Amino acid sequence: MTILVCVIAIALGYLFGSINSAILTVRLLKHEDVRNFGSGNAGLTNTLRCFGKTCALFTLIGDLGKGVVAVLFSKLFANLLLPEQNPDFYMIGCLAGIFAIIGHVFPLYHHFKGGKGVLVGVSIFLILDWKVFFILIGIFAVILAISKYVSLASIIATACCPFLTLITQYIWHTEYTTGQLFLHFGLQCIMAFMIIFMHRSNIARLKNHTERKFGEKKTS
């Protein structure tokens, strides 16, 4: 039954993750495809740059919401199908989160061309561990304020995520065994790798000093 719960979490994560808020918002409000503008990325930053704050706000809400919903539904099914057991909700939530990111990057409903998954990856911590969520937001905000690069702030916050998970669980979640701690760490490493890999073009532009800073207007 535990395997069934994991399969359900994977399916829910991918299906919810495939609902791309940037694509839907821009299509509904502007009658355009966000992937045809700016960087071509169907994510928050490109939506803000190309279509303004209203579209960006709905994208933010949608991308955060779908990660939260995927994890919540996965935990609900775990409670329903494993009522007398003590399932590892964190592991189940991580599986949902990993596949929500995959769905966001390769959306089933949008020809498998989506965004980079940062917001989706962060959002699952609202349910899994709110302490990590706010620490990640803090790291992102500090790096963004210093560098003005959204991509750099996203990459650094993402890279910190597995280690923050390991540290916070070791300190505050003594109910987890050593095996569970390292399982959760490993799952977070997978999530972090996927998100950072999707920023490979940004990394190249950062190295070449051609990455656009936050708020910088595109030059003709």
Side-chain angles (χ1 to χ4, degrees):
M1 195 62 75
T2 301
I3 294 175
L4 176 60
V5 170
C6 291
V7 171
I8 290 173
I10 288 169
L12 287 173
Y14 181 71
L15 292 174
F16 278 112
S18 290
I19 304 171
N20 189 288
S21 306
I23 294 174
L24 292 176
T25 296
V26 172
R27 186 171 293 167
L28 288 171
L29 297 183
K30 302 294 184 179
H31 310 292
E32 298 284 1
D33 189 334
V34 66
R35 295 169 295 183
N36 295 332
F37 295 84
S39 66
N41 181 55
L44 176 63
T45 303
N46 196 44
T47 302
L48 177 61
R49 283 175 176 162
C50 298
F51 294 98
K53 295 179 181 178
T54 300
C55 287
L57 176 61
F58 283 109
T59 299
L60 174 65
I61 294 171
D63 282 354
L64 289 175
K66 68 184 181 183
V68 169
V69 171
V71 175
L72 281 176
F73 271 75
S74 298
K75 292 182 70 173
L76 174 63
F77 275 101
N79 276 320
L80 289 174
L81 296 177
L82 303 170
E84 297 180 359
Q85 299 184 33
N86 186 26
D88 187 340
F89 289 120
Y90 196 96
M91 180 270 291
I92 293 167
C94 281
L95 287 176
I98 288 171
F99 279 85
I101 294 170
I102 293 174
H104 183 81
V105 175
F106 304 108
L108 176 65
Y109 319 121
H110 305 291
H111 307 291
F112 303 100
K113 184 182 178 183
K116 296 179 180 177
V118 176
L119 283 175
V120 182
V122 170
S123 70
I124 71 168
F125 288 101
L126 279 168
I127 307 301
L128 293 180
D129 192 332
W130 61 268
K131 296 181 292 296
V132 173
F133 174 83
F134 285 108
I135 294 172
L136 290 175
I137 293 297
I139 292 171
F140 176 89
V142 169
I143 300 300
L144 179 60
I146 294 171
S147 70
K148 307 302 181 184
Y149 289 115
V150 174
S151 57
L152 181 63
S154 299
I155 291 166
I156 291 176
T158 299
C160 291
C161 184
F163 302 98
L164 285 173
T165 296
L166 186 62
I167 293 168
T168 56
Q169 289 193 352
Y170 180 79
I171 295 173
W172 286 296
H173 296 279
T174 55
E175 72 273 16
Y176 292 134
T177 65
T178 301
Q180 286 177 309
L181 289 177
F182 283 99
L183 172 61
H184 300 165
F185 175 77
L187 290 171
Q188 291 300 332
C189 284
I190 293 171
M191 292 175 61
F193 173 80
M194 290 192 301
I195 293 172
I196 293 173
F197 179 77
M198 290 305 299
H199 282 80
R200 60 194 183 279
S201 60
N202 302 89
I203 294 172
R205 289 194 294 271
L206 286 167
K207 288 181 178 179
N208 296 329
H209 305 288
T210 56
E211 180 77 332
R212 289 170 61 192
K213 292 185 176 182
F214 183 73
E216 180 182 342
K217 300 296 183 182
K218 185 177 181 180
T219 57
S220 56

